[in-house]
Amino acid sequence: MAKIEICEVELGDARALNAYVRQVYETSDHLITAPGEYGMGTFARWRWCVRKLASSGEVCLIAKDADGAIVGMIDGWVDPRQRVRHVLTFAMSVRADRRRTGVGRKLLAALVDWVKAHPYIRKIELHVHADNAAAQALYTSFGFILEGERKGAVRYEDGRVVNDRLMALWP
Ligand SMILES: CC(C)(COP(=O)(O)OP(=O)(O)OC[C@H]1O[C@@H](n2cnc3c(N)ncnc32)[C@H](O)[C@@H]1OP(=O)(O)O)[C@@H](O)C(=O)NCCC(=O)NCCS
């Protein structure tokens, strides 16, 4: 696999990250945001990056290829209230033309390392559509287990209704 660097997002990534996210929504069947629903501008994304860098319970790691292009991201956040702030939720994606080349595994490994070094986060949670076999295979290979399922929580444009699965790991 071509060289991939995993690093924390920087303010200067805002514009490229926005273009990346827009492209991911256009090329992924298993996300909640449909193509055309994404409306965040560059300044809003820049402020989002500021928050990610300033908050102890937030993180955004991005994968860059040898040319510096963003080919993946993983975004984690906590509810900062005392009783639940030990639980991080995350979402992740890899650029369509780089899927199944190990980028997702690298990003998730970096997130798990970040959590292990964190002073108060102890649990990692995620939501995944029941028909997203690729993502579930990745999470299961890291030891994530199924904790529950929300019935019929997702309805696609073609009328298909699928469950939303909650998976978790205590690293
Ligand atoms: C899910 C996703 C992030 C995986 O990233 P990736 O870079 O393609 O994954 P990797 O190449 O690192 O693969 C890691 C493991 O995941 C599993 N996997 C990945 N793609 C798979 C596929 N198409 N079918 C079956 N298993 C798959 C395999 O276990 C794989 O290990 P292996 O290649 O040794 O068999 C990527 O497919 C993606 O961005 N999908 C669209 C957005 C999305 O669904 N995000 C997750 C929402 S919960």
Side-chain angles (χ1 to χ4, degrees):
M1 186 184 65
K3 188 173 166 289
I4 295 291
E5 184 199 2
I6 308 291
C7 52
E8 207 155 343
V9 75
E10 295 172 6
L11 298 183
D13 293 318
R15 183 180 295 274
L17 190 57
N18 238 6
Y20 165 83
V21 170
R22 189 168 292 110
Q23 194 185 35
V24 162
Y25 286 139
E26 283 163 6
T27 54
S28 306
D29 296 330
H30 301 108
L31 301 176
I32 290 178
T33 305
E37 280 185 340
Y38 181 70
M40 192 186 276
T42 303
F43 182 58
R45 180 57 77 179
W46 181 85
R47 283 195 316 201
W48 181 93
C49 293
V50 170
R51 197 187 72 228
K52 285 283 150 189
L53 291 164
S55 314
S56 64
E58 302 231 14
V59 64
C60 175
L61 304 175
I62 54 179
K64 288 184 176 176
D65 68 11
D67 299 329
I70 298 175
V71 294
M73 81 179 277
I74 194 161
D75 166 30
W77 60 92
V78 300
D79 178 332
R81 287 172 290 181
Q82 198 75 27
R83 293 174 178 171
V84 291
R85 66 177 198 157
H86 64 288
V87 181
L88 181 94
T89 306
F90 78 89
M92 70 181 296
S93 61
V94 171
R95 206 174 72 190
D97 63 327
R98 297 304 296 267
R99 287 179 196 155
R100 207 71 200 261
T101 64
V103 177
R105 189 177 290 288
K106 277 194 161 191
L107 278 166
L108 189 51
L111 183 79
V112 171
D113 285 347
W114 183 87
V115 168
K116 281 181 177 168
H118 196 278
Y120 59 80
I121 297 173
R122 295 289 171 267
K123 183 183 186 188
I124 309 177
E125 284 185 356
L126 65 95
H127 292 264
V128 60
H129 299 182
D131 61 339
N132 191 349
Q136 287 170 81
L138 172 62
Y139 305 143
T140 302
S141 74
F142 272 77
F144 281 81
I145 55 157
L146 180 65
E147 286 201 327
E149 193 146 345
R150 295 162 63 227
K151 306 290 181 200
V154 183
R155 189 168 63 81
Y156 294 119
E157 290 76 357
D158 62 5
R160 276 178 309 124
V161 174
V162 299
N163 295 349
D164 171 55
R165 291 188 173 151
L166 179 64
M167 299 184 78
L169 177 76
W170 294 81

